[in-house]
Amino acid sequence: MGKNIVDAIVSVETFIISIPREVPYLGPLKEGEAINGRGYLIRKGNRTIYPSADMTLLVKVTGESGRVGWGECYGIVAPEATKAIIDDVLGPVIIGRDPAGAVVIHEDLYDLMRVRGFFGGYYLDALAGVDIALWDLAGKGLGVPVSTLLGGRRHDAIPAYVSGLPRATIKERCDVAVEWTGKGYKGIKFAAAVSDEGIVKEMAALREAVGPDVDVMVDLHWKFEAAEAIRLIRRLEPYNLYFAEAPCQPENLEGQARVAQGIGVPLALGEELRTAYEYRPRFEARAMSIVQPEVGHSGISEFIQIGRMAQAFHMNVIPHASISIGIFMAASLQAASALQNVPYHEYQHSVFDRNLDFVTGDMACQEGYYTIPTGSGLGVEPHDRLFEYIK
């Protein structure tokens, strides 16, 4: 393919970014929770480890033209692992390849380790970061946004739901919800992992606070056995719950399907899944009606495949948004804008708004809507000042 290569890859670099924050993700620490020597805390509500800072992994792919493609992947915990996979395995393999073949490269990199069982976890997270950078570089090389490469942009703006109410009490969280709905946002999601005063009580209080016309959602953080989840969600339904998310442990496919079939509201899941292979049995089992791909886990190549598969199963896509400095948020918005069935995109306001200062471009979230970045590739690049936070 030599002379037909648009912009051969000459280098792949990675950077761990850690931006301090005053209040940890999901809100203040609870009794019995503490930040350890490595900067992590474990939420007792869902037994999950989180960083006390906004931590991520940035990927830089440079072509022989000097153009640069930027990627970012899930680097919340042990980002050194994801970095090592890119530096030692994925990066060297793609030197000389054409970024315009992003999907082909993604398939080839997936094949490198599939016989060893690495079809998830850190390997796929690393692959996601590289994949996003390749799409960005390909778009820049052709002078078009990633959404054009994916078949065309269907949406210039996508409704955003406010995710997380990082305050200590129900009253304070209701005040935050009212503040955001007053800014034009029509969807609010609360986290059961920190609903210490009671999940049903919090749902009732939020509904009273925001009124009947706001969509209220709950993230159950994989806390429940299927029958428990069904019983709980049924108690939330009278308050006009928009969707319930992640009721059972992610490996419990049978439980997820039982919940989906046993409740009267949509079930949402999928943030922890990385490939269409993981989604497929859940589609077939009708284990959800809303899918939540996380581009920091999947990359663009798998994200769009998952999204189009969801459309074939008549399911909606409401992309998940995790801790990001803005690069993979732009990737998620570019890919989501090319899909038909996207009623919302998650909006991590405590992360997105602050970290927007670290990227260029016109990506924004205001008055209830995300603005899809314009320009070629992802439409955003990291500011120089971001690199002050290299870990």
Side-chain angles (χ1 to χ4, degrees):
M1 62 182 182
K3 64 182 181 180
N4 296 319
I5 292 178
V6 173
D7 193 5
I9 297 164
V10 296
S11 69
V12 180
E13 302 167 78
T14 54
F15 310 90
I16 296 171
I17 304 294
S18 182
I19 305 173
R21 55 186 299 154
E22 292 183 10
V23 179
Y25 179 65
L26 292 181
L29 297 179
K30 305 286 186 179
E31 184 178 351
E33 297 176 348
I35 298 170
N36 68 19
R38 292 288 294 173
Y40 298 121
L41 61 121
I42 298 173
R43 292 290 184 187
K44 295 176 70 176
N46 62 3
R47 303 193 299 276
T48 300
I49 192 167
Y50 295 93
S52 57
D54 284 353
M55 195 149 62
T56 190
L57 185 72
L58 199 61
V59 182
K60 178 183 181 182
V61 176
T62 304
E64 61 183 353
S65 65
R67 281 188 291 264
V68 171
W70 291 100
E72 182 189 10
C73 60
Y74 205 78
I76 288 177
V77 175
E80 294 86 358
T82 317
K83 175 178 170 60
I85 292 167
I86 297 174
D87 292 346
D88 195 45
V89 181
L90 303 179
V93 166
I94 65 172
I95 299 300
R97 297 287 296 266
D98 183 357
V103 173
V104 174
I105 294 174
H106 183 277
E107 292 171 348
D108 289 348
L109 295 180
Y110 184 90
D111 285 347
L112 294 181
M113 296 286 278
R114 73 188 305 167
V115 299
R116 300 185 180 105
F118 292 109
F119 41 78
Y122 288 107
Y123 188 75
L124 267 292
D125 290 349
L127 179 49
V130 172
D131 182 69
I132 292 168
L134 295 179
W135 282 95
D136 185 37
L137 185 53
K140 289 172 177 172
L142 296 170
V144 297
V146 166
S147 57
T148 298
L149 300 180
L150 295 173
R153 181 170 295 185
R154 195 172 270 283
H155 317 281
D156 290 322
I158 295 175
Y161 76 82
V162 174
S163 181
L165 305 168
R167 297 293 186 272
T169 67
I170 287 180
K171 172 63 169 64
E172 291 172 319
R173 291 196 285 271
C174 286
D175 290 344
V176 173
V178 170
E179 177 186 343
W180 282 104
T181 57
K183 296 177 182 178
Y185 291 83
K186 300 300 185 184
I188 300 285
K189 187 173 78 179
F190 70 101
V194 292
S195 292
D196 295 340
E197 298 170 69
I199 297 169
V200 178
K201 182 178 179 180
E202 183 154 349
M203 177 73 202
L206 283 168
R207 175 54 68 205
E208 182 177 0
V210 301
D213 300 325
V214 173
D215 293 328
V216 179
M217 314 146 196
V218 63
D219 186 347
L220 298 176
H221 286 269
W222 312 283
K223 288 179 59 171
F224 301 97
E225 184 273 332
E228 292 175 330
I230 292 169
R231 183 169 64 245
L232 171 61
I233 295 166
R234 284 293 190 186
R235 293 177 64 198
L236 299 175
E237 287 177 14
Y239 301 100
N240 195 19
L241 181 67
Y242 183 78
F243 71 62
E245 176 180 341
C248 307
Q249 293 159 333
E251 62 270 27
N252 185 2
L253 172 55
E254 295 80 7
Q256 291 169 339
R258 280 181 61 200
V259 175
Q261 294 155 18
I263 62 177
V265 295
L267 185 66
L269 55 86
E271 67 175 88
E272 71 280 7
L273 307 177
R274 291 165 174 81
T275 68
Y277 300 117
E278 292 175 294
Y279 271 98
R280 190 191 73 181
R282 291 165 174 81
F283 284 128
E284 293 172 343
R286 299 301 194 274
M288 68 287 197
S289 52
I290 293 171
V291 301
Q292 299 175 295
E294 164 70 83
V295 78
H297 282 319
S298 68
I300 292 171
S301 296
E302 284 292 321
F303 182 106
I304 201 69
Q305 186 170 348
I306 292 162
R308 289 183 175 141
M309 189 182 295
Q311 184 169 317
F313 278 84
H314 307 286
M315 296 178 182
N316 283 330
V317 178
I318 299 182
H320 186 265
S322 187
I323 294 173
S324 164
I325 55 88
I327 300 298
F328 79 58
M329 272 304 308
S332 188
L333 292 171
Q334 289 282 351
S337 75
L339 297 172
Q340 275 188 303
N341 48 334
V342 185
Y344 278 112
H345 192 298
E346 185 169 16
Y347 170 43
Q348 294 279 6
H349 55 96
S350 68
V351 176
F352 180 86
D353 290 357
R354 184 187 69 160
N355 293 347
L356 197 60
D357 289 338
F358 295 110
V359 294
T360 65
D362 57 358
M363 179 173 66
C365 193
Q366 296 175 329
E367 299 179 355
Y369 288 86
Y370 275 111
T371 301
I372 315 302
T374 58
S376 61
L378 296 176
V380 302
E381 291 197 349
H383 274 302
D384 290 343
R385 62 177 171 270
L386 176 65
F387 295 95
E388 298 172 12
Y389 296 95
I390 291 177
K391 183 178 177 183

